[in-house]
Amino acid sequence: MLFEIRGFRFCSSARMLAALLFILLCVQPGHGQTCTEGFAYDRRARQCIDVDECRTLPDVCRGDMRCVNQNGGYLCIPRSLYNQPYRPAGPLPPEPAYPDSSVGFSDTFVPADPRSVEPSYPRVRSTAQCLLGYTAAEDGSCNDIDECETNSHHCNPTQVCINTLGGYTCSCTEGYWLIGGQCQDIDECRYGYCQQLCANVPGSYSCSCNPGFILNPDSRTCQDVDECEDEPCSHGCFNTYGSFMCNCDEGFELASDGTTCIDLDECSFSEFLCQHRCVNTPGSFSCICPPGYYVYEDGRSCEDSNECDTGNNTCTTAQVCFNFQGGYTCLDPLQCHPPYIEVSDNQCMCSAENPACRDKPFTILYRHMDLSSGRSVPADIFQMQATTRYPGAFYIFQIKSGNDGREFYMRQTSNVSATLVLSRPIKGPKEVVLDLEMVTVNNVINFRGSSIIRLTIFVSEHPF
Ligand SMILES: [Ca+2]
Ligand SMILES: [Ca+2]
Ligand SMILES: [Ca+2]
Ligand SMILES: [Ca+2]
């Protein structure tokens, strides 16, 4: 380094001399309070006086350099040369006693490469020039150069230039950070800027939310949408975190769309829901019964209306109302055909003394009963019994007429009684008249007589 300085000392000694002369010219008594660089205004002396930078500035010269104050500036000189005779100006000696520092007096402030400046280049401040980053105005003052405006900055294209007094700064815009001298986009998504969904874009980012959420005003967090406010459900709505649920009133079920409630067809569930017929209704169902019945309090069974009890019949006062399952009938007053005579309101008799009654049943008793259609078989449906017992007599019970379909038979249950048995199902509605005969036989006195029970059976239309 020192060798290089020696190498051009001759050629630059003339510039050094010129610079020193320039400094001396500038050392004029100050007329104001502003002084050029390197001088400070002294109020007592009323002039600008040189500042001893070697005393006032800390670490002016670095390394093995020593500071030498100059009028309006200072020099950094290697300590090894400092003890040699100092001959600042004058005729050029053939061998200057101390190294040429003319570089420091360069009349233009060309920023030196820091690597070559440190540690040994002398630094000098000139009063005649403006500092780096300033430019001299016509009135002699120094104005800051706006490097950004004049496009004389060295910020790379990814950076923005920010002008400062005497310099400028290269910075990154918001959303970028400096990596390896380049402004690179910040991937905000990697750092959890968004609560749910994040999309990184150059210089920025945008947050969004999963379905069922909306972005909060902070543009980062999400909050649950209360979907129920828009009444999306046919019936009930439950808001949930991120979604909602619909439910339906009793008798309805949720359709596949999750929001619509559709009626349940309860009637399709079972054939046995109603005894007779099921009618589906929105949200429910009802059982109906055929005419002559009413729906029992259980809501599904059919109960016969007893028209005779309720008075809801058309029988005359002379008639007798007979109720049966699903209907009723009006029985005309008993009429006994001669030679029978009426012995009670339901019995005719043919007197034994009357020759016309020979070979005819002694009595005819009229009885009525009802029978459900399709009743399970065999079933004991009627009992008959001898009321008068003759000593030595025995009794035969038989169906004399009306059993053309052979649905019935008579089963003797004792010497004096028998039961009418239904052996085949009968489908109603039907009216069956059976003559049930009881034959009395007494071989001792050689007696044979009979009595009839004329049984009218009202078979209902329905099996209930
Ligand atoms: Ca980004
Ligand atoms: Ca929700
Ligand atoms: Ca229903
Ligand atoms: Ca009835």
Side-chain angles (χ1 to χ4, degrees), residues 251-252 263-267 279-286:
F252 293 86
D263 172 55
L264 281 173
D265 184 2
E266 295 88 350
C267 297
V279 176
N280 184 44
T281 61
S284 185
F285 70 99
S286 61

Side-chain angles (χ1 to χ4, degrees), residues 167-447:
Y168 63 93
T169 304
C170 297
S171 175
C172 296
T173 52
E174 194 179 344
Y176 292 86
W177 52 19
L178 199 62
I179 298 174
Q182 298 283 323
C183 289
Q184 295 188 2
D185 171 55
I186 300 172
D187 185 356
E188 293 85 354
C189 296
R190 283 182 57 186
Y191 299 97
Y193 276 42
C194 299
Q195 186 185 6
Q196 290 186 357
L197 305 178
C198 182
N200 182 48
V201 293
S204 186
Y205 65 100
S206 68
C207 298
S208 57
C209 299
N210 290 315
F213 294 88
I214 53 169
L215 201 61
N216 280 322
D218 65 6
S219 296
R220 292 183 54 238
T221 57
C222 299
Q223 66 169 320
D224 171 57
V225 175
D226 186 356
E227 294 86 352
C228 293
E229 287 184 353
D230 294 334
E231 299 177 358
C233 302
S234 295
H235 293 162
C237 183
F238 285 117
N239 183 44
T240 63
Y241 188 72
S243 186
F244 67 101
M245 286 173 63
C246 296
N247 66 345
C248 295
D249 297 341
E250 193 177 338
F252 293 86
E253 63 180 346
L254 207 56
S256 56
D257 65 1
T259 58
T260 308
C261 291
I262 52 176
D263 172 55
L264 281 173
D265 184 2
E266 295 88 350
C267 297
S268 66
F269 295 167
S270 168
E271 293 181 9
F272 304 104
L273 207 56
C274 294
Q275 191 174 32
H276 180 57
R277 187 180 301 163
C278 180
V279 176
N280 184 44
T281 61
S284 185
F285 70 99
S286 61
C287 296
I288 59 171
C289 293
Y293 296 85
Y294 64 92
V295 181
Y296 190 59
E297 56 193 24
D298 66 0
R300 54 173 299 272
S301 305
C302 291
E303 197 79 355
D304 171 58
S305 299
N306 191 329
E307 296 85 353
C308 300
D309 282 355
T310 60
N312 187 23
N313 61 72
T314 57
C315 299
T316 64
T317 52
Q319 293 174 316
V320 172
C321 180
F322 181 80
N323 180 61
F324 57 86
Q325 293 293 303
Y328 72 98
T329 190
C330 297
L331 303 175
D332 289 325
L334 180 63
Q335 281 192 323
C336 298
H337 301 284
Y340 285 88
I341 57 169
E342 183 181 329
V343 291
S344 74
D345 60 354
N346 67 345
Q347 191 169 17
C348 299
M349 187 180 77
C350 205
S351 174
E353 289 79 31
N354 189 341
C357 291
R358 189 185 297 264
D359 298 329
K360 289 187 185 297
F362 177 59
T363 57
I364 301 174
L365 182 67
Y366 291 86
R367 299 293 299 271
H368 303 83
M369 65 171 290
D370 68 335
L371 187 67
S372 294
S373 178
R375 178 168 174 177
S376 61
V377 293
D380 297 351
I381 61 170
F382 190 80
Q383 287 200 339
M384 59 190 298
Q385 174 175 316
T387 52
T388 310
R389 299 173 191 179
Y390 301 100
F394 65 93
Y395 305 90
I396 301 169
F397 299 90
Q398 58 189 18
I399 301 171
K400 192 177 184 184
S401 67
N403 194 21
D404 299 336
R406 299 199 173 278
E407 292 98 349
F408 305 92
Y409 70 88
M410 196 67 89
R411 185 182 84 241
Q412 190 138 1
T413 50
S414 74
N415 288 337
V416 295
S417 63
T419 296
L420 179 68
V421 179
L422 178 69
S423 58
R424 290 181 186 175
I426 295 184
K427 182 91 180 91
K430 187 184 272 186
E431 201 174 306
V432 179
V433 180
L434 295 177
D435 272 4
L436 307 179
E437 186 180 42
M438 182 182 73
V439 180
T440 305
V441 179
N442 191 329
N443 291 329
V444 177
I445 58 172
N446 196 22
F447 173 78

